[in-house]
Amino acid sequence: MKNNIILIGFMGSGKTSVGGKLSRALHYDFLDTDGMLEEEFGCTIREFFAEWGEEEFRKRETMLLSGLSKKLTKTVLSTGGGLPLCPQNAKLLREMGRVIYLKASEEETVKRLSGDTTRPILAGEDLRVKVHRLLEERMPLYKAAAHYTLETDGKSFYEIINEIECIALI
Ligand code: S3P
């Protein structure tokens, strides 16, 4: 297996914040698929969804990942919350490195996402209802895509990063 660490999980699970700090601690590079896509699109993900729709966004995510899959080394990669749901992407991620699912509880997720206007997937429905439904759909897929599931509720960044470093050494 390659020496990359891949963070997956639901929106608001801390993939980007944990990923940045973890990469500094390990002296690894850091990449974030959402950030890379926004750079490529020249607009925000919300704007891209409004103009081109979710299906096109998913195609672009998969294309980005296919391009990255061969060349990454010593990199922490944070992924968009929908990326590992496609079986083809999940397979690629597992070949690219250790896949870690950052799992926050439903309650904590709702707390973190309340007031968020940047995520088009959350628009137009009561946040609690939406998060509940999406987590039910997605959690089994995150678990299946990951080599490890890491519960994050009540843990500091320091504790989470420590746990990931231990996992990465196994
Ligand atoms: C999405 C999650 C977002 C972003 C897009 C779609 C999803 O990333 O890729 O809005 O379907 O869960 P974050 O998980 O970084 O918020």
Side-chain angles (χ1 to χ4, degrees):
M1 190 191 292
K2 301 215 186 105
N3 57 358
N4 302 299
I5 297 178
I6 325 278
L7 301 179
I8 66 169
F10 200 75
M11 294 166 273
S13 59
K15 293 161 293 185
T16 305
S17 332
V18 169
K21 289 180 179 18
L22 176 67
S23 66
R24 286 193 287 281
L26 293 173
H27 304 287
Y28 272 30
D29 291 331
F30 175 59
L31 289 175
D32 171 63
T33 58
D34 283 343
M36 293 178 82
L37 286 171
E38 288 193 331
E39 213 165 281
E40 186 182 309
F41 300 156
C43 66
T44 64
I45 287 173
R46 192 168 68 128
E47 287 163 344
F48 188 90
F49 263 68
E51 178 82 17
W52 302 98
E54 180 174 355
E55 207 181 316
E56 187 58 29
F57 177 77
R58 299 300 175 201
K59 278 190 205 152
R60 302 288 288 266
E61 265 188 328
T62 298
M63 278 165 60
L64 172 73
L65 187 67
S66 312
L68 286 176
S69 64
K70 288 165 201 82
K71 52 186 181 213
L72 285 199
T73 173
K74 287 182 103 179
T75 298
V76 176
L77 177 71
S78 294
T79 57
L83 189 141
L85 306 174
C86 156
Q88 178 193 342
N89 292 350
K91 182 171 179 286
L92 262 187
L93 291 174
R94 289 174 64 89
E95 288 164 4
M96 287 165 70
R98 273 175 215 279
V99 181
I100 297 169
Y101 168 27
L102 295 185
K103 181 173 176 290
S105 66
E106 186 173 323
E107 203 187 329
E108 183 60 32
T109 301
V110 170
K111 217 191 284 173
R112 290 190 198 163
L113 292 174
S114 102
D116 181 88
T117 54
T118 64
R119 293 173 170 99
I121 295 290
L122 299 175
E125 197 180 344
D126 177 73
L127 181 66
R128 272 180 189 283
V129 175
K130 188 122 208 186
V131 168
H132 178 75
R133 184 168 56 74
L134 286 179
L135 274 177
E136 282 210 331
E137 279 170 28
R138 291 179 171 197
M139 206 184 288
L141 300 173
Y142 291 140
K143 282 191 176 155
H147 294 109
Y148 302 94
T149 295
L150 198 160
E151 308 268 351
T152 60
D153 276 21
K155 291 181 186 161
S156 66
F157 277 124
Y158 177 77
E159 288 170 309
I160 294 170
I161 285 162
N162 240 354
E163 255 184 74
I164 299 178
E165 283 181 315
C166 291
I167 291 167
L169 288 174
I170 297 170

